[in-house]
Amino acid sequence: MPLEFELCPGRMIGGNHPCFIIAEIGQNHQGDIEIAKKMIKMAKDCGSDCAKFQKSELDHKFNKKALERPYNSVHSWGKTYGDHKRHLEFSHEQYKELQKYADEVDIFFTASGMDEMAVEFLHELNVPFFKVASADNSNFPYLKKTAKKGRPMVVSSGMQNMETMRQVYKTVKEHNPNFTILQCTSAYPLEAEDVNLRVLTEYQKEFPDIPIGYSGHESGIVISVAAVAMGAKVVERHVTLDKTWKGNDHEASVVPSELAELVRSIRLVERALGNGVKQMLPCEKPCHDKLGKSLVAKVKIPKGTVLTQDMLAVKVAEPMGIPAENIFKMVGKKVKIPKGTVLTQDMLAVKVAEPMGIDAEDIFKMVGKKVKKDVEEDESILPEVVEGYCKKRKC
Ligand SMILES: CC(=O)N[C@H](C=O)[C@@H](O)[C@H](O)[C@H](O)COP(=O)(O)O
Ligand SMILES: C=C(OP(=O)(O)O)C(=O)O
């Protein structure tokens, strides 16, 4: 059983706990705090566990030239990348307001700290856990500092290979046992061929003592649901109010109806995953009673016969006999008279018996009568065992 830990106050993840679903609002709020609040409410209404943002201290995340680089994309909110990012970045005060709002709405609130200074701020803000965005999974000084703060961590693994992820695991583990690694491919939107859900299985082998999860950027919800079937204990998806809005992530996001369906589907799949113990369940009884196969005699089998396989057939039988799967165990066994058998003369013998059974002189009267309980070979046939047999001459 992979490790489980408390990711948010009162909310465990891993093991058999429900998958933790993160609605990644990211920068899909268009730089508008009212839209951001609407999205927090929407995340809650759709059943997600957490509303997440992206917090950067832009002068720490980017160098000067990177902020000055022209950003000519249709998704740009400014002439330079710096202008674009400044438009989308909420201030500390706005973060406090959003956190308060999330608290009122009753949904966990956090953000990825996109640089060390942002992590400092989020630590002061007392977020329940730190999200490490893919761009920081190779930022080892950041990982070490963040891990040392002692809050649980969700570490994404986009743009990375296994060797570096092993290093990430070791680095975080050294300072903090409570973290999860998410399989992620950083492309927007992500094609199915590039999702690589099997990495989840590899992660679980490589890192058996932490829960694993999935951060998806594909269109639709099916792949994220499949990730849960493959063992993801955390699922993160970008959310939007409109996929056609300006912004790099909207197309790879889910709209409210999809988010609600994603949550429902994940909860359904969780119910369906079960405990892995293969057994016939009580709910299968009606089907088994109607169509379950059992052993029937292919030929007349007199009492005392040693069974061979060619005497037996497998059928839907009324009443149901010995379960079909026991056919090979039956071979070599001697036949007794089972309950309900109509007696024939060759099933009966006359002996000095203990206890004394039906009088020997009644042997012919027995033929054609049914036995009410199983009679073993050589067992006395008592009057009460034979249906309609009356010991007294008068009946
Ligand atoms: C790798 C990473 O950080 N990815 C984030 C999370 O998935 C994204 O939301 C980016 O912030 C976003 O795609 C950037 O778009 P633009 O460059 O238009 O601001
Ligand atoms: C970029 C982020 O996430 P991911 O790498 O999982 O897409 C993020 O959380 O800000």
Side-chain angles (χ1 to χ4, degrees), residues 58-306:
L58 294 175
D59 295 328
H60 289 271
K61 176 170 175 178
F62 298 97
N63 76 3
K64 211 160 164 287
K65 283 240 162 75
L67 287 172
E68 285 166 357
R69 115 187 132 186
Y71 194 36
N72 296 322
S73 157
V74 288
H75 298 306
S76 172
W77 294 91
K79 279 207 176 84
T80 63
Y81 202 58
D83 289 344
H84 163 76
K85 284 296 191 190
R86 275 186 284 275
H87 172 84
L88 292 169
E89 195 60 48
F90 288 136
S91 67
H92 289 192
E93 283 317 303
Q94 285 174 313
Y95 259 87
K96 285 177 192 157
E97 192 178 329
L98 291 173
Q99 186 186 43
K100 188 166 167 279
Y101 182 72
D103 205 41
E104 280 163 30
V105 163
D106 191 25
I107 185 167
F108 292 117
F109 173 89
T110 195
S112 32
M114 309 295 265
D115 55 82
E116 287 182 16
M117 290 309 289
V119 171
E120 289 302 329
F121 167 64
L122 294 171
H123 191 50
E124 277 168 34
L125 202 61
N126 199 21
V127 293
F129 67 92
F130 292 128
K131 167 74 193 293
V132 176
S134 293
D136 278 305
N137 57 29
S138 53
N139 185 350
F140 287 96
Y142 164 106
L143 282 176
K144 202 168 156 179
K145 275 193 190 157
T146 306
K148 277 177 148 180
K149 295 208 174 293
R151 294 181 193 274
M153 290 163 72
V154 173
V155 183
S156 218
S157 64
M159 304 179 279
Q160 217 37 270
N161 58 36
M162 189 59 96
E163 190 41 46
T164 309
M165 288 317 295
R166 284 190 197 111
Q167 264 179 272
V168 170
Y169 168 85
K170 262 181 80 180
T171 306
V172 178
K173 189 88 187 169
E174 203 177 311
H175 305 285
N176 191 340
N178 297 329
F179 68 107
T180 165
I181 291 179
L182 311 186
Q183 158 60 353
C184 176
T185 306
S186 302
Y188 306 79
L190 172 62
E191 294 304 322
E193 291 72 18
D194 293 323
V195 172
N196 212 351
L197 283 178
R198 289 204 171 96
V199 170
L200 285 165
T201 315
E202 294 309 306
Y203 277 170
Q204 202 64 96
K205 279 190 236 157
E206 290 274 349
F207 317 126
D209 56 354
I210 61 166
I212 48 129
Y214 176 68
S215 172
H217 301 122
E218 70 281 3
S219 306
I221 65 166
V222 175
I223 289 168
S224 296
V225 177
V228 175
M230 291 189 69
K233 306 296 184 186
V234 172
V235 163
E236 178 179 314
R237 287 300 306 272
H238 284 265
V239 297
T240 180
L241 297 181
D242 189 335
K243 288 189 201 196
T244 67
W245 279 356
K246 180 160 89 174
N248 198 47
D249 301 337
H250 291 290
E251 207 188 327
S253 303
V254 290
V255 292
S257 58
E258 287 174 305
L259 180 60
E261 184 60 25
L262 174 67
V263 174
R264 271 197 299 275
S265 305
I266 288 176
R267 299 299 173 230
L268 185 66
V269 164
E270 283 173 336
R271 280 170 56 204
L273 280 171
N275 60 10
V277 177
K278 183 58 192 160
Q279 59 186 340
M280 186 160 85
L281 294 175
C283 65
E284 294 178 287
K285 191 174 180 306
C287 183
H288 188 254
D289 286 351
K290 185 170 68 176
L291 293 173
K293 293 202 172 176
S294 59
L295 301 186
V296 296
K298 221 186 234 178
V299 290
K300 186 174 170 190
I301 308 173
K303 174 194 165 206
T305 305
V306 175

